[in-house]
Amino acid sequence: MKNTLNFWKTKIIYSDKRQKGMKNILASILTIIISLAVALLITCIIYKDFSFFYKIFDFFFTQPFSSALNVNTTISTIAIFSVAAIAFLIAMKCGLFNIGISGQMMFGAAVATVLAQHMINVPNGLSQLLLVLISVISAAAISTLIGVFKSFLNVNEVVSSIMFNWIIYFIATLMLADSCKIGSDGLQTLPLTTLSPSHNLVLQIFMNGTYVSWLPLLIIAIIVVAFAIVLLGYTAFGKKIINTGMSLTAARYAGYSTRLNQVFAMLISGAIAGILGAMVYLGKADNMGVTVAAKTIPQEGFTGISVGLIAMSNSWAILPIACLFGMIDGSKVALQTSLGVDPSISDCIFGIVVYGAAIISIFYYLVPFKWYLRIFKGKIYADNYAHYVNNVNKDLDDAVSLIHSVQQKKNISVHNSRKKIYKAFAKLRVTRKKEFIKLVQRLKKGVK
């Protein structure tokens, strides 16, 4: 029993896959901590009050959930950021940088909104599902076109996505201009709650005597994240997408249709962007801003890119990172009203954390222990340590080859030998290398 527990403990903790995952998690956490610290220090310097450091940090984790209204806004934002990150992640896994998520979500929502004006006597609930489906199909059509340009015409997807963002923005403005109303602020908006005379088209449910939108949005986000985890981790098509993104040449030699894989990856990414558009314009807000004067493309898609980068394209890490971004976004108003912090400072803090996502690879390759050896022990000591690590890796490779030979010759119990190898590997982690070498020698004699 003890050997079995050691075997599974070592397999779970010390396998290459688990170690890589832990590196990703630690790099993401380190990036977030350092970025937040730098952003808060800059804020303290600007306002010449270093008490802001812990006050703002406290606001990030308390204000977003201080009232029912804040809870609704914060959870809705977390759900939206999660879906936006998944839309980016699917394309990124295939080696494509879909920077046009914002345009795709706006196009899907605009088409759905135009068609919503012609829905008559459609049951409440069914109309919402139809609008989401229309938004998905419309956004997927745009992203598929970008994928075709990339795969068959070699048009860079970043350039075409940016161009489509602005083309879509002005097309959506023209599509909705006739139905818009000019508010007191001079901006043109289309009230979604008045599109149909028979029912409300906003994604809400009746709960505790009031209408709330965060629950349906959260359910959609969990479904989308679960879909990405299953697709990329447990399906053959997901593996093809990942392998195509890792190396186009290797994927071609493996017999994959890399062009179709890229097109389908962009199609799925755009479809999720369509879900995002329905969530943003039919869930979080009661109106859709379409003014040309502002010339502002929705920011949710760009924030999703940041979340995806900080999560290092890991589907499991999307929700935790989205929670942090949602809480930062949800505390903006409280920072302004309670501490007098200008809204631009909140955006600055947000931007610094986003910028940290761009340099996350630096933290992934940092090895502070080697710095310690080189500074305090000397260069020779550090080189000896590197040589020792190389020897350990060689011994492990020998052990893997040995297990294979044991499987072939069947001279000793394969299961027991594998457990001994993992057990010795666990001991090796505390530098008991001699026992490991002796075990390898004994197993070699047993094979012979």
Side-chain angles (χ1 to χ4, degrees), residues 220-233:
I220 293 174
I222 292 174
I223 292 174
V224 171
V225 172
F227 166 77
I229 291 174
V230 173
L231 175 68
L232 298 175

PDB file of all heavy atoms in Angstrom, residues 220-233:
ATOM      1  N   ILE A 220     -23.893  30.190 -18.939  1.00  0.00           N
ATOM      2  CA  ILE A 220     -23.331  30.145 -20.296  1.00  0.00           C
ATOM      3  C   ILE A 220     -21.806  30.085 -20.244  1.00  0.00           C
ATOM      4  O   ILE A 220     -21.182  29.317 -20.981  1.00  0.00           O
ATOM      5  CB  ILE A 220     -23.803  31.374 -21.097  1.00  0.00           C
ATOM      6  CG1 ILE A 220     -25.304  31.303 -21.355  1.00  0.00           C
ATOM      7  CG2 ILE A 220     -23.052  31.471 -22.426  1.00  0.00           C
ATOM      8  CD1 ILE A 220     -25.884  32.543 -22.004  1.00  0.00           C
ATOM      9  N   ALA A 221     -21.191  30.887 -19.368  1.00  0.00           N
ATOM     10  CA  ALA A 221     -19.735  30.902 -19.266  1.00  0.00           C
ATOM     11  C   ALA A 221     -19.196  29.547 -18.827  1.00  0.00           C
ATOM     12  O   ALA A 221     -18.200  29.052 -19.383  1.00  0.00           O
ATOM     13  CB  ALA A 221     -19.291  31.995 -18.286  1.00  0.00           C
ATOM     14  N   ILE A 222     -19.832  28.927 -17.848  1.00  0.00           N
ATOM     15  CA  ILE A 222     -19.370  27.612 -17.377  1.00  0.00           C
ATOM     16  C   ILE A 222     -19.495  26.572 -18.485  1.00  0.00           C
ATOM     17  O   ILE A 222     -18.596  25.735 -18.684  1.00  0.00           O
ATOM     18  CB  ILE A 222     -20.179  27.189 -16.136  1.00  0.00           C
ATOM     19  CG1 ILE A 222     -19.845  28.106 -14.950  1.00  0.00           C
ATOM     20  CG2 ILE A 222     -19.887  25.732 -15.771  1.00  0.00           C
ATOM     21  CD1 ILE A 222     -20.686  27.856 -13.724  1.00  0.00           C
ATOM     22  N   ILE A 223     -20.577  26.624 -19.250  1.00  0.00           N
ATOM     23  CA  ILE A 223     -20.761  25.684 -20.362  1.00  0.00           C
ATOM     24  C   ILE A 223     -19.676  25.883 -21.419  1.00  0.00           C
ATOM     25  O   ILE A 223     -19.101  24.910 -21.944  1.00  0.00           O
ATOM     26  CB  ILE A 223     -22.160  25.852 -20.978  1.00  0.00           C
ATOM     27  CG1 ILE A 223     -23.227  25.399 -19.976  1.00  0.00           C
ATOM     28  CG2 ILE A 223     -22.288  25.067 -22.271  1.00  0.00           C
ATOM     29  CD1 ILE A 223     -24.647  25.662 -20.435  1.00  0.00           C
ATOM     30  N   VAL A 224     -19.381  27.135 -21.751  1.00  0.00           N
ATOM     31  CA  VAL A 224     -18.370  27.427 -22.769  1.00  0.00           C
ATOM     32  C   VAL A 224     -16.979  26.973 -22.307  1.00  0.00           C
ATOM     33  O   VAL A 224     -16.226  26.368 -23.074  1.00  0.00           O
ATOM     34  CB  VAL A 224     -18.366  28.931 -23.109  1.00  0.00           C
ATOM     35  CG1 VAL A 224     -17.172  29.282 -23.987  1.00  0.00           C
ATOM     36  CG2 VAL A 224     -19.657  29.315 -23.809  1.00  0.00           C
ATOM     37  N   VAL A 225     -16.637  27.249 -21.047  1.00  0.00           N
ATOM     38  CA  VAL A 225     -15.334  26.825 -20.522  1.00  0.00           C
ATOM     39  C   VAL A 225     -15.245  25.302 -20.497  1.00  0.00           C
ATOM     40  O   VAL A 225     -14.211  24.721 -20.874  1.00  0.00           O
ATOM     41  CB  VAL A 225     -15.108  27.405 -19.109  1.00  0.00           C
ATOM     42  CG1 VAL A 225     -13.845  26.809 -18.489  1.00  0.00           C
ATOM     43  CG2 VAL A 225     -14.986  28.925 -19.165  1.00  0.00           C
ATOM     44  N   ALA A 226     -16.310  24.628 -20.080  1.00  0.00           N
ATOM     45  CA  ALA A 226     -16.318  23.162 -20.068  1.00  0.00           C
ATOM     46  C   ALA A 226     -16.184  22.613 -21.492  1.00  0.00           C
ATOM     47  O   ALA A 226     -15.475  21.614 -21.720  1.00  0.00           O
ATOM     48  CB  ALA A 226     -17.604  22.650 -19.426  1.00  0.00           C
ATOM     49  N   PHE A 227     -16.830  23.269 -22.451  1.00  0.00           N
ATOM     50  CA  PHE A 227     -16.709  22.855 -23.852  1.00  0.00           C
ATOM     51  C   PHE A 227     -15.260  22.938 -24.318  1.00  0.00           C
ATOM     52  O   PHE A 227     -14.755  22.016 -24.989  1.00  0.00           O
ATOM     53  CB  PHE A 227     -17.600  23.745 -24.724  1.00  0.00           C
ATOM     54  CG  PHE A 227     -17.327  23.639 -26.192  1.00  0.00           C
ATOM     55  CD1 PHE A 227     -17.785  22.560 -26.921  1.00  0.00           C
ATOM     56  CD2 PHE A 227     -16.592  24.627 -26.849  1.00  0.00           C
ATOM     57  CE1 PHE A 227     -17.518  22.450 -28.284  1.00  0.00           C
ATOM     58  CE2 PHE A 227     -16.321  24.531 -28.202  1.00  0.00           C
ATOM     59  CZ  PHE A 227     -16.791  23.441 -28.918  1.00  0.00           C
ATOM     60  N   ALA A 228     -14.576  24.022 -23.974  1.00  0.00           N
ATOM     61  CA  ALA A 228     -13.181  24.183 -24.384  1.00  0.00           C
ATOM     62  C   ALA A 228     -12.285  23.123 -23.734  1.00  0.00           C
ATOM     63  O   ALA A 228     -11.385  22.576 -24.376  1.00  0.00           O
ATOM     64  CB  ALA A 228     -12.688  25.585 -24.027  1.00  0.00           C
ATOM     65  N   ILE A 229     -12.524  22.838 -22.455  1.00  0.00           N
ATOM     66  CA  ILE A 229     -11.717  21.832 -21.754  1.00  0.00           C
ATOM     67  C   ILE A 229     -11.882  20.465 -22.408  1.00  0.00           C
ATOM     68  O   ILE A 229     -10.902  19.752 -22.658  1.00  0.00           O
ATOM     69  CB  ILE A 229     -12.117  21.780 -20.270  1.00  0.00           C
ATOM     70  CG1 ILE A 229     -11.691  23.074 -19.566  1.00  0.00           C
ATOM     71  CG2 ILE A 229     -11.471  20.571 -19.576  1.00  0.00           C
ATOM     72  CD1 ILE A 229     -12.180  23.176 -18.131  1.00  0.00           C
ATOM     73  N   VAL A 230     -13.118  20.086 -22.704  1.00  0.00           N
ATOM     74  CA  VAL A 230     -13.378  18.788 -23.326  1.00  0.00           C
ATOM     75  C   VAL A 230     -12.835  18.748 -24.752  1.00  0.00           C
ATOM     76  O   VAL A 230     -12.187  17.772 -25.165  1.00  0.00           O
ATOM     77  CB  VAL A 230     -14.897  18.480 -23.313  1.00  0.00           C
ATOM     78  CG1 VAL A 230     -15.195  17.214 -24.105  1.00  0.00           C
ATOM     79  CG2 VAL A 230     -15.391  18.336 -21.884  1.00  0.00           C
ATOM     80  N   LEU A 231     -13.071  19.810 -25.519  1.00  0.00           N
ATOM     81  CA  LEU A 231     -12.629  19.841 -26.917  1.00  0.00           C
ATOM     82  C   LEU A 231     -11.118  19.723 -27.032  1.00  0.00           C
ATOM     83  O   LEU A 231     -10.607  18.901 -27.811  1.00  0.00           O
ATOM     84  CB  LEU A 231     -13.100  21.139 -27.579  1.00  0.00           C
ATOM     85  CG  LEU A 231     -12.609  21.382 -29.016  1.00  0.00           C
ATOM     86  CD1 LEU A 231     -13.235  20.370 -29.957  1.00  0.00           C
ATOM     87  CD2 LEU A 231     -12.915  22.804 -29.459  1.00  0.00           C
ATOM     88  N   LEU A 232     -10.396  20.522 -26.266  1.00  0.00           N
ATOM     89  CA  LEU A 232      -8.946  20.568 -26.400  1.00  0.00           C
ATOM     90  C   LEU A 232      -8.235  19.441 -25.648  1.00  0.00           C
ATOM     91  O   LEU A 232      -7.119  19.068 -26.016  1.00  0.00           O
ATOM     92  CB  LEU A 232      -8.423  21.915 -25.903  1.00  0.00           C
ATOM     93  CG  LEU A 232      -8.920  23.143 -26.673  1.00  0.00           C
ATOM     94  CD1 LEU A 232      -8.430  24.421 -26.010  1.00  0.00           C
ATOM     95  CD2 LEU A 232      -8.465  23.101 -28.126  1.00  0.00           C
ATOM     96  N   GLY A 233      -8.859  18.918 -24.613  1.00  0.00           N
ATOM     97  CA  GLY A 233      -8.179  17.919 -23.805  1.00  0.00           C
ATOM     98  C   GLY A 233      -8.585  16.487 -24.049  1.00  0.00           C
ATOM     99  O   GLY A 233      -7.803  15.573 -23.742  1.00  0.00           O
TER     100      GLY A 233
END
